[in-house]
Amino acid sequence: MKVKGKDYRAIWMEGSSVFLIEQNLLPFDFKIYEAKNYLETCQAIKTMKVRGAGAVGEAAGFAMAQAFLEAPEDSFGEYIEKAKKEIEATRPTAQNLFYAAKRVFKTAKKSIEPRKAAVAEAQKIADEDVEISRRIGEYGNELIKDGFNIETHCNAGWLAFVDYGTALSPIYLAHKSGKKVFVYVDETRPRNQGARLTAWELKNEGIPYVILPDNAGAYLMFQGKIDIMIVGADRIARNGDVANKIGTFEKAIVAKELGVPFYVAAPTSTFDLNCNSGRDIPIEERSEDEVLYQTGLSEQGNLAKILVCLPHSKAINPLFDITPAKYINGIITEKGIIQPREDLIIGLLS
Ligand code: MRU
């Protein structure tokens, strides 16, 4: 997608470095971060300089490729095995992270030129994801009628998936094809990916939007203001349960109660058949500081971190929740839209 007229992906690799849009600085500052080795890329994933299920997948693939490039001849096997473990330990929930690290590792290991093969495979995953996101957009666009008001949660746009995105891709395509759309953006506490990142993406594309407090969704749906809700996914279990940003589950319950269609947009690489249900999906917990403090632009124009609660309070910070399949009208994938049912999921993946 374009930023100030120039084409960007959320993350890419050049030589042995990984470059990424520093998402912790958006929307206040637009900077590119260079991770010079796999450990720096791991650190960028952990600190959420790069975030979003797809983008952390691509980051993991590139980090794996960096490890292959860096591995010394005399301890090659040992080095890449250790790197794979470290990459997989960066964040636990997004399935794409494990998918990409494993795919690069396996392909490169059986190649006669492993270093070259690792870089090529990681690039291939990123290129495929661009095409996959575009196709998700095409299928999802069929659900969007002219004049629709769409609610979305967190950021599942191009920043979260190299290009186009998942939940936002149908919205971009609808807008491009001349439909009038309006987006209600959940702010998505505690890290505010909606208010900061989704709003930034939509503004860049000239799509009208408004940010709403996370707890206002039910009221808006009750008022009949939302025609459809589309969210992304971090991992989808065999039975169609979906792990996505915390707060998704309660939106889905309200949507069902009030008859608002609720869709999940995700590529087939986000499904994990090893998880029989959502209860098997590991849920990341992060520091309580992300809840207790908020970061934003001060009146002096600096990024500032401030305490927003009673001093010395404790907080909990689970990052994702599980939306049971029964609340989901459909999953928009690059192969079409399916109902979240085990037989259909297995058919889709085979
Ligand atoms: O913790 P994050 O910001 O990495 O969370 C990921 C997300 O943005 C979502 O939960 C999203 O909806 C799926 S990403 C395509």
Side-chain angles (χ1 to χ4, degrees):
M1 302 290 270
K2 288 200 186 323
V3 181
K4 293 181 195 143
K6 191 176 165 207
D7 268 320
Y8 281 95
R9 285 185 178 187
I11 181 163
W12 67 96
M13 189 171 177
E14 270 172 38
S16 58
S17 281
V18 173
F19 294 87
L20 51 96
I21 296 175
E22 220 294 26
Q23 298 195 34
N24 286 326
L25 299 180
L26 286 174
F28 312 112
D29 206 354
F30 181 80
K31 280 206 172 118
I32 305 302
Y33 174 78
E34 178 181 358
K36 295 198 177 74
N37 52 53
Y38 92 85
L39 282 175
E40 285 184 5
T41 307
C42 284
Q43 198 54 22
I45 300 172
K46 279 188 194 156
T47 55
M48 293 175 72
K49 282 181 168 40
V50 57
R51 45 124 323 266
V56 297
E58 283 104 31
F62 287 140
M64 200 66 253
Q66 284 177 306
F68 271 84
L69 291 179
E70 291 157 23
E73 283 300 341
D74 57 351
S75 56
F76 194 83
E78 216 179 292
Y79 191 93
I80 54 168
E81 294 275 354
K82 185 170 164 270
K84 180 168 178 284
K85 285 201 183 96
E86 271 167 336
I87 294 164
E88 289 177 341
T90 51
R91 292 192 69 192
T93 305
Q95 171 63 5
N96 288 71
L97 187 148
F98 301 91
Y99 164 84
K102 189 171 161 196
R103 197 172 132 182
V104 172
F105 183 83
K106 272 179 82 178
T107 308
K109 238 186 128 187
K110 57 179 190 236
S111 163
I112 45 163
E113 288 186 282
R115 298 181 203 271
K116 229 170 136 183
V119 175
E121 194 63 15
Q123 298 283 16
K124 198 170 159 203
I125 293 172
D127 291 343
E128 278 173 15
D129 279 349
V130 174
E131 182 52 22
I132 284 168
S133 293
R134 201 187 53 75
R135 273 192 259 145
I136 287 175
E138 282 174 1
Y139 283 113
N141 185 16
E142 290 168 16
L143 300 168
I144 299 174
K145 297 203 180 91
D146 190 27
F148 255 25
N149 294 305
I150 306 157
E151 183 174 347
T152 190
H153 191 66
C154 196
N155 170 261
W158 69 272
L159 289 169
F161 235 99
V162 221
D163 220 352
Y164 304 108
T166 52
L168 294 191
S169 185
I171 299 172
Y172 290 140
L173 241 88
H175 174 74
K176 226 175 162 182
S177 62
K179 291 178 197 168
K180 235 177 106 200
V181 288
F182 187 87
V183 186
Y184 285 90
V185 178
D186 293 354
E187 59 177 352
T188 320
R189 297 259 168 152
R191 291 186 70 100
N192 301 316
Q193 289 96 327
R196 292 176 64 151
L197 306 176
T198 299
W200 180 80
E201 284 196 25
L202 293 171
K203 179 151 190 286
N204 281 345
E205 295 307 307
I207 299 175
Y209 70 91
V210 72
I211 297 165
L212 61 139
D214 286 331
N215 41 11
Y219 177 60
L220 288 178
M221 287 188 198
F222 180 71
Q223 286 181 310
K225 289 205 169 141
I226 309 295
D227 296 301
I228 189 170
M229 178 146 195
I230 310 177
V231 301
D234 289 83
R235 199 186 291 214
I236 303 175
R238 177 184 273 267
N239 71 344
D241 291 354
V242 169
N244 192 52
K245 183 54 60 199
I246 193 81
T248 302
F249 179 25
E250 57 191 46
K251 298 283 178 278
I253 297 171
V254 173
K256 191 173 171 85
E257 172 69 23
L258 298 173
V260 175
F262 185 93
Y263 282 86
V264 171
T268 46
S269 49
T270 301
F271 289 80
D272 180 4
L273 295 184
N274 293 319
C275 292
N276 287 326
S277 82
R279 290 194 187 274
D280 300 321
I281 300 176
I283 299 295
E284 178 178 5
E285 303 225 2
R286 291 180 72 89
S287 159
E288 62 177 6
D289 280 1
E290 293 184 355
V291 178
L292 304 174
Y293 294 85
Q294 290 285 293
T295 305
L297 208 59
S298 72
E299 282 179 4
Q300 291 73 38
N302 306 316
L303 262 193
K305 188 173 158 185
I306 56 161
L307 182 68
V308 290
C309 65
L310 180 71
H312 311 300
S313 297
K314 289 270 157 218
I316 52 164
N317 188 15
L319 246 62
F320 305 98
D321 58 24
I322 305 294
T323 301
K326 67 175 181 180
Y327 295 104
I328 300 166
N329 290 74
I331 304 178
I332 310 163
T333 76
E334 77 275 19
K335 295 185 180 174
I337 303 175
I338 58 157
Q339 283 178 342
R341 272 185 12 215
E342 179 165 347
D343 56 332
L344 299 177
I345 289 171
I346 289 173
L348 187 82
L349 299 186
S350 54

